[in-house]
Amino acid sequence: MNGRRWDVFCRVVDNYGDAGVAWRLARQLAAEHALDVTLWLDRVATLARIEPGLDPLARVQRHRGVTLRLLDESAGADDLPEVVVEGFGCGLPERYLEKMAASAGPPLWFNLEYLSAEPWVDAVHGLASPLPRRSLTRYFWFPGFTCHTGGLIREAGLFEARDGYLNEASAARPRREPVHDAGAGGGGSPDAPGERRDGLDLVLFCYPNRALPALFEAWSEGDEAIRCTLPEGVATAALDTWLHGDVPHAGQSVTHGRLALRIRPFSTQEAFDRLLWASDLNFVRGEDSFVRAQWAARPFVWQPYPQDEQAHVLKLEAFVDRYTAGLPEPALSALRVFWGAFNAEDGTATAAAWPAFRAVFGPLGRHGRAWADRLAELPDLAAGLVEFWHSRL
Ligand code: TRH
């Protein structure tokens, strides 16, 4: 066994969150804990969309300090690692499991779960689950928002990088990402460097949402300029409805009234982070962009990944309860109403809830900063995993 080798496993269910979380974690474990990390991933092409330096067809490659290997059923370990992180219960290949079961000292095995603010997470985080037919045990690692959970992914120096970037940006140019951050294929800011503008910069990274056409309409008819950046492929049905089929391509913009919509090609996670940092309001979704919006410490709106039996509604309510603790009125009601309307099935109340929500960006910004600072007092997720491993050596 290689003393510092960790294997992280991930299968893409859909979208980018599974690969995105695994990639951030793998990179952080390698960079900050000097570990020899292999990420086993079944769809490298998905990750290559947000990490353009990757070869989507290679079975094995090394990139940014991590070995990336294609995960398929033939995957097996020549040499077992010290620690296995199974992402989101994705299952380990049979050959790999057999080898682990046959080993006198099998790797420490974590199952990294999905993020939830629900209170039950505190009670189950870290529990051991012995496998029924094999003498193996895995430990459930639940990301979360309290000291009884596995924490959140947060790399060292993140807040310093954020604040340094914003200070530099406000001294030198409007709060927009630089053109070279926009990813392959252009789509950078149409603004001249140094120009200062009024109005709002928004990022819209959400799932299909019925609230959008009416919200676009309200923004276009409002009394302030709104520049809304959408990653390519997001909200296309809503754009199609609102623009009567004339949907802009990646790198293009379209302006209606006070609203300018800009379609942005996908970029690296770092460039995406900078986009969130520099925005006045971030609509985010799923798991990873949701966490990054909290680290951006700006007003934001979260759309959880839609799940069967409305499980996402419980997740949404649990997070809103935690996040809004201590938030004074009228910001509290404005946030609850707007988030609720945006996440409602028909979305009809969203546009009407916008003015009250817009009016509380000041207090929401201060609250977001305090929330991020408080969360950052907890150990980050990678450090927690490493510490648990050390405690068992
Ligand atoms: O893509 P998502 O909808 O992923 C979802 C969720 O993780 C959900 O919980 C899971 O069940 C489902 O996938 C299968 O949203 P999320 O989690 O925000 O992930 C997006 C990733 O893409 C995140 O790592 C940020 C990254 N990204 C970039 O790096 N560059 C970009 O330009 C954009 C738009 C995103």
Side-chain angles (χ1 to χ4, degrees), residues 361-375:
F361 279 16
L364 285 181
R366 290 190 289 280
H367 183 77
R369 177 60 80 132
W371 169 260
D373 290 347
R374 230 176 21 253
L375 279 185

Side-chain angles (χ1 to χ4, degrees), residues 32-371:
E32 292 176 24
H33 299 279
L35 296 168
D36 176 6
V37 181
T38 298
L39 171 58
W40 296 83
L41 180 66
D42 68 337
R43 281 201 242 158
V44 178
T46 300
L47 185 58
R49 185 104 196 267
I50 59 172
E51 192 56 64
L54 288 176
D55 175 353
L57 300 177
R59 287 191 73 84
V60 186
Q61 59 194 304
R62 201 161 161 81
H63 191 62
R64 302 186 64 187
V66 172
T67 302
L68 186 69
R69 283 180 175 271
L70 180 68
L71 171 59
D72 58 19
E73 278 321 300
S74 70
D78 302 329
D79 182 19
L80 284 173
E82 277 282 304
V83 179
V84 167
V85 181
E86 177 187 353
F88 313 118
C90 70
L92 304 184
E94 195 52 35
R95 284 207 309 140
Y96 194 98
L97 263 180
E98 274 166 18
K99 185 144 190 184
M100 273 174 49
S103 162
L108 173 62
W109 179 8
F110 293 108
N111 182 36
L112 176 63
E113 287 288 338
Y114 285 110
L115 172 63
S116 174
E118 290 163 285
W120 57 263
V121 168
D122 284 13
V124 294
H125 166 66
L127 290 186
S129 162
L131 255 65
R133 284 180 304 279
R134 288 187 163 113
S135 56
L136 289 171
T137 297
R138 45 178 199 171
Y139 292 87
F140 287 95
W141 199 266
F142 278 84
F145 302 91
T146 75
C147 62
H148 303 296
T149 68
L152 299 170
I153 293 181
R154 175 176 44 80
E155 41 310 353
L158 178 64
F159 288 8
E160 292 77 2
R162 177 196 67 194
D163 297 343
Y165 175 77
L166 292 177
N167 287 339
E168 218 176 276
S170 72
R173 56 179 181 263
R175 290 182 300 136
R176 304 282 289 189
E177 60 182 317
V179 172
H180 62 77
D181 269 0
S189 164
D191 315 308
E195 179 197 344
R196 290 196 176 276
R197 299 157 319 144
D198 296 325
L200 279 186
D201 289 308
L202 313 186
V203 172
L204 185 58
F205 182 49
C206 61
Y207 298 116
N209 191 311
R210 294 213 190 134
L212 290 175
L215 198 53
F216 291 151
E217 190 64 22
W219 288 343
S220 75
E221 291 177 349
D223 50 16
E224 74 182 325
I226 294 188
R227 293 168 295 276
C228 177
T229 299
L230 297 94
E232 185 180 6
V234 168
T236 37
L239 288 173
D240 195 47
T241 304
W242 192 59
L243 298 169
H244 306 292
D246 204 9
V247 179
H249 295 291
Q252 294 181 336
S253 301
V254 62
T255 302
H256 274 258
R258 308 302 320 270
L259 174 63
L261 294 165
R262 177 173 74 116
I263 310 298
R264 175 183 186 270
F266 268 57
S267 67
T268 60
Q269 289 179 320
E270 287 79 1
F272 181 65
D273 281 347
R274 288 191 288 270
L275 184 72
L276 300 181
W277 297 346
S279 165
D280 298 297
L281 173 68
N282 293 308
F283 289 81
V284 285
R285 70 187 203 188
E287 177 153 336
D288 190 56
S289 59
F290 167 52
V291 172
R292 305 313 284 190
Q294 292 169 66
W295 297 145
R298 298 268 174 189
F300 74 102
V301 182
W302 178 43
Q303 187 178 12
Y305 183 76
Q307 283 174 282
D308 293 341
E309 293 167 11
Q310 304 287 300
H312 60 287
V313 176
L314 294 179
K315 280 189 160 190
L316 179 70
E317 285 168 0
F319 179 74
V320 170
D321 285 347
R322 263 188 212 289
Y323 182 69
T324 58
L327 180 64
E329 290 291 4
L332 173 63
S333 299
L335 182 145
R336 281 188 174 276
V337 171
F338 191 80
W339 282 41
F342 190 73
N343 280 290
E345 223 156 281
D346 60 6
T348 43
T350 312
W354 169 254
F357 186 58
R358 167 66 187 100
V360 297
F361 279 16
L364 285 181
R366 290 190 289 280
H367 183 77
R369 177 60 80 132
W371 169 260

